[in-house]
Amino acid sequence: MRHLVLVSSLLSMCGLAIADGKISAFEVLSRMMTARSIAYTATVETIRLKPQTISATALLYFKGGRKRLVYGGGFGASLTILDDGKSVYRLHPQWRLAVRMPIFPQRLNFELLRRNYEIKLLEPEEVAGRNCYVIFAEPKHPNNPKRKVWVDKVHFVVLRDELLDADGTPIRIFVVRSINFNTGVDDNLFSVPSGWRVANAPYRPNLSLEEAERTAGFKVRLPKFVPEGYQLAGVGVTYCPHGTPIVHLQYSDGFNTISVFERPAQCRGFGRFRFRWGWRRQRPCDWIPQDEFVHSQVVSNLRVIVIGHPSQAVMQRIAESVQ
């Protein structure tokens, strides 16, 4: 109910036209976020176009807000993921092991969207043989990414989602190739198999800055610069493979996110580590290799890693503002 009241007030504030005399772009987004009671199976493809083109196809099962993704190739080869909306489980059949990772809640902030984007409802199109509303999010601040989303007109499921750079060139595409609704999806598909061990990944989301500092053992420094429109949306703590704590700062402008990771400049790598098959040497890590959407550098006594879709120059400016 609060979502509907908020959406109604936003419509009057924004003066958005009603498409077909019935529904607006924000109403489509609101229905999209609450479409959780349905069930369906789908074949989906995720395509990353930069820095090089790579894709992965998966079978998706959905029921009551829970998801099961079974990848068969590309960057998700032989991978099964369960998502219950609060945690993600990665299944490892060879060890009868499920690794649990808590996640940041994914909710649309309508006020932040209104502040940072012009949200338009375009002419309807078809995806996977189904009629869709088409939503286009044009950023009000220059150089921020654009989004284009296709939403099923009947069930309000996202059937295509494109992230585009400031010039309108696609960066990443999610697309449903085929979909069947209300197919009697079995509840057991969303559970860790009986007899398997569940291990918690070393990640704690939804912390305050003070809690993150106590957990990580160092002072967290917020960037003095982030692109216009972005605000701090979440704080978490994880660890590199050698046990060095890493603070995760997630910024959002309502539709897109930028992650800033901070850890001590010197990794805790000890040189020798014991694995299941014995001892082996391993070098201290820089944790993430740098590419077009990742910037990593040492600022004062911290290793700062920025991940997102601004330019390298903007990500460098974010990192260097951590003083």
Side-chain angles (χ1 to χ4, degrees), residues 171-240:
I171 299 170
R172 187 192 68 236
I173 299 171
F174 167 85
V175 58
V176 172
R177 297 302 186 189
S178 64
I179 189 165
N180 294 300
F181 288 96
N182 302 316
T183 55
V185 180
D186 192 337
D187 286 329
N188 290 330
L189 289 170
F190 309 101
S191 302
V192 175
S194 177
W196 283 35
R197 183 168 61 92
V198 177
N200 291 320
Y203 185 70
R204 295 183 60 194
N206 306 318
L207 302 177
S208 67
L209 280 174
E210 293 76 15
E211 289 171 329
E213 288 178 339
R214 287 197 300 269
T215 301
F218 62 84
K219 178 69 175 177
V220 176
R221 302 194 206 123
L222 297 179
K224 293 182 173 61
F225 166 79
V226 292
E228 192 173 0
Y230 283 84
Q231 66 181 32
L232 186 63
V235 180
V237 174
T238 186
Y239 298 85
C240 85

Side-chain angles (χ1 to χ4, degrees), residues 8-318:
S8 298
S9 64
L10 283 172
L11 294 176
S12 61
M13 293 167 63
C14 298
L16 289 173
I18 301 298
D20 301 326
K22 294 181 180 180
I23 196 165
S24 73
F26 275 94
E27 287 173 326
V28 173
L29 289 173
S30 180
R31 294 284 297 274
M32 181 187 80
M33 293 302 295
T34 56
R36 301 175 63 85
S37 60
I38 58 176
Y40 61 84
T41 59
T43 300
V44 303
E45 184 177 10
T46 303
I47 307 165
R48 189 184 68 192
L49 298 167
K50 293 182 178 182
Q52 69 273 339
T53 300
I54 185 170
S55 68
T57 300
L59 186 59
L60 168 63
Y61 303 88
F62 182 95
K63 186 176 184 180
R66 298 169 296 168
K67 301 176 186 176
R68 179 187 179 99
L69 278 160
V70 183
Y71 286 93
F75 54 79
S78 303
L79 175 64
T80 298
I81 294 175
L82 308 181
D83 181 350
D84 63 10
K86 296 179 180 179
S87 301
V88 168
Y89 298 81
R90 180 167 178 165
L91 304 187
H92 298 272
Q94 66 273 38
W95 300 316
R96 295 172 61 84
L97 171 69
V99 179
R100 174 183 175 271
M101 170 78 79
I103 56 178
F104 284 117
Q106 299 297 314
R107 301 185 182 96
L108 281 181
N109 183 325
F110 288 105
E111 176 57 28
L112 200 57
L113 270 176
R114 183 192 66 82
R115 192 186 312 158
N116 292 315
Y117 289 91
E118 295 288 348
I119 307 294
K120 305 173 184 178
L121 200 57
L122 306 182
E123 290 297 316
E125 296 180 11
E126 280 195 4
V127 176
R130 299 190 61 86
N131 292 326
C132 294
Y133 297 108
V134 183
I135 295 174
F136 186 71
E138 179 80 35
K140 295 181 179 179
H141 308 298
N143 302 318
N144 282 342
K146 306 174 182 181
R147 290 284 288 274
K148 191 174 181 180
V149 182
W150 288 254
V151 181
D152 183 85
K153 279 192 169 186
V154 177
H155 299 289
F156 292 89
V157 173
V158 175
L159 299 184
R160 187 180 180 97
D161 183 1
E162 292 187 3
L163 178 67
L164 308 107
D165 65 19
D167 297 326
T169 303
I171 299 170
R172 187 192 68 236
I173 299 171
F174 167 85
V175 58
V176 172
R177 297 302 186 189
S178 64
I179 189 165
N180 294 300
F181 288 96
N182 302 316
T183 55
V185 180
D186 192 337
D187 286 329
N188 290 330
L189 289 170
F190 309 101
S191 302
V192 175
S194 177
W196 283 35
R197 183 168 61 92
V198 177
N200 291 320
Y203 185 70
R204 295 183 60 194
N206 306 318
L207 302 177
S208 67
L209 280 174
E210 293 76 15
E211 289 171 329
E213 288 178 339
R214 287 197 300 269
T215 301
F218 62 84
K219 178 69 175 177
V220 176
R221 302 194 206 123
L222 297 179
K224 293 182 173 61
F225 166 79
V226 292
E228 192 173 0
Y230 283 84
Q231 66 181 32
L232 186 63
V235 180
V237 174
T238 186
Y239 298 85
C240 85
H242 306 98
T244 302
I246 303 168
V247 174
H248 176 199
L249 307 172
Q250 186 181 79
Y251 290 84
S252 173
D253 69 351
F255 236 153
N256 296 301
T257 61
I258 297 172
S259 287
V260 179
F261 295 88
E262 298 178 6
R263 69 160 172 82
Q266 294 298 318
C267 174
R268 287 178 178 173
F270 299 110
R272 292 182 67 202
F273 301 88
R274 185 162 190 172
F275 293 87
R276 297 163 68 93
W277 51 86
W279 291 87
R280 64 181 296 182
R281 298 191 65 81
Q282 193 173 69
R283 296 177 181 177
C285 64
D286 281 337
W287 190 55
I288 289 181
Q290 192 159 309
D291 65 26
E292 188 171 349
F293 303 119
V294 179
H295 178 83
S296 175
Q297 70 177 86
V298 173
V299 181
S300 299
N301 63 339
L302 291 178
R303 166 71 65 178
V304 180
I305 302 116
V306 183
I307 301 177
H309 295 94
S311 66
Q312 273 286 329
V314 170
M315 290 196 289
Q316 181 176 352
R317 186 178 173 189
I318 295 171

